[in-house]
Amino acid sequence: MTDDPALSGRLLVAKNRLLDPHFHRAVVLVLDHGDEGAFGVVLNRPVPVDVDVVLPAWQDHVSMPATLFQGGPVGLDGAIGVVTAPPGARLPTTVDRLVGPFSLVDLDSDPEALAGLVTGVRVFAGHSGWGAGQLEGELEEGSWYVLPAEPDDAVTADPSTLWRRVLRRQGGDLAIVSTFAEDASLN
């Protein structure tokens, strides 16, 4: 899926009119995008389940809050590990570098192998996925803002404010959008 990496490593920030409960006010990190579709994880949907319920070895290695995150509505029976690392960091073979500071880690591996090498770890149950042309259609409909990602976005300690913070840091009209009420009919 990496034939056209135009959106890989970018954020999809849901516009207020996107009412699908899976994506209402969601911030999605696009991990891979190409002719065959796109794949990413929702960064601001923590669930009240500690990581150790499904992956006990990883509990002490994930970024706070140390809970699972719902990465999207696809594949909820699987877990995805996303790590952030400085450019040029020598990472073990259990880590698949994707784009910029973002990588996937094999959750069957020993988390100790990442000690001192990564700046953050997040575990997602499920992911967000789009077939060929599907995301492009949603962009044409005006469902998403496409914005630059910062490494801390993927492992923020305060996911509840991520949607507002990402919009606010853009300045201008998007900073104003960040102040809109959650219920779009009130804006």
Side-chain angles (χ1 to χ4, degrees):
M1 272 198 289
T2 56
D3 299 337
D4 177 14
L7 297 178
S8 297
R10 309 267 304 192
L11 296 177
L12 300 177
V13 179
K15 293 186 178 181
N16 258 7
R17 66 177 144 241
L18 183 57
L19 300 177
D20 177 330
H22 296 292
F23 297 110
H24 179 67
R25 288 208 170 188
V27 178
V28 178
L29 173 62
V30 179
L31 296 169
D32 195 21
H33 174 243
D35 291 339
E36 295 177 25
F39 161 79
V41 289
V42 178
L43 301 177
N44 58 335
R45 295 286 193 273
V47 294
V49 177
D50 287 342
V51 170
D52 70 355
V53 170
V54 292
L55 295 162
W58 287 90
Q59 181 68 37
D60 294 334
H61 301 277
V62 295
S63 302
M64 297 303 288
T67 64
L68 290 174
F69 279 64
Q70 186 172 348
V74 181
L76 292 173
D77 57 345
I80 297 169
V82 174
V83 299
T84 55
R90 295 193 57 171
L91 300 173
T93 59
T94 57
V95 175
D96 182 20
R97 232 193 235 279
L98 297 176
V99 60
F102 308 111
S103 302
L104 295 179
V105 63
D106 179 352
L107 294 172
D108 290 328
S109 66
D110 180 5
E112 292 292 333
L114 299 178
L117 301 176
V118 299
T119 54
V121 178
R122 182 78 77 216
V123 177
F124 297 89
H127 65 277
S128 301
W130 294 266
Q134 186 179 3
L135 179 56
E136 291 76 5
E138 290 180 17
L139 292 171
E140 286 177 23
E141 291 170 359
S143 297
W144 302 98
Y145 298 109
V146 178
L147 302 172
E150 295 181 2
D152 290 344
D153 294 335
V155 292
T156 180
D158 189 8
S160 67
T161 63
L162 186 61
W163 184 86
R164 288 185 187 281
R165 283 186 288 124
V166 169
L167 290 173
R168 188 169 294 131
R169 76 179 181 227
Q170 306 310 310
D173 290 344
L174 291 183
I176 294 168
V177 170
S178 77
T179 66
F180 287 1
E182 180 122 3
D183 179 352
S185 68
L186 299 175
N187 295 323

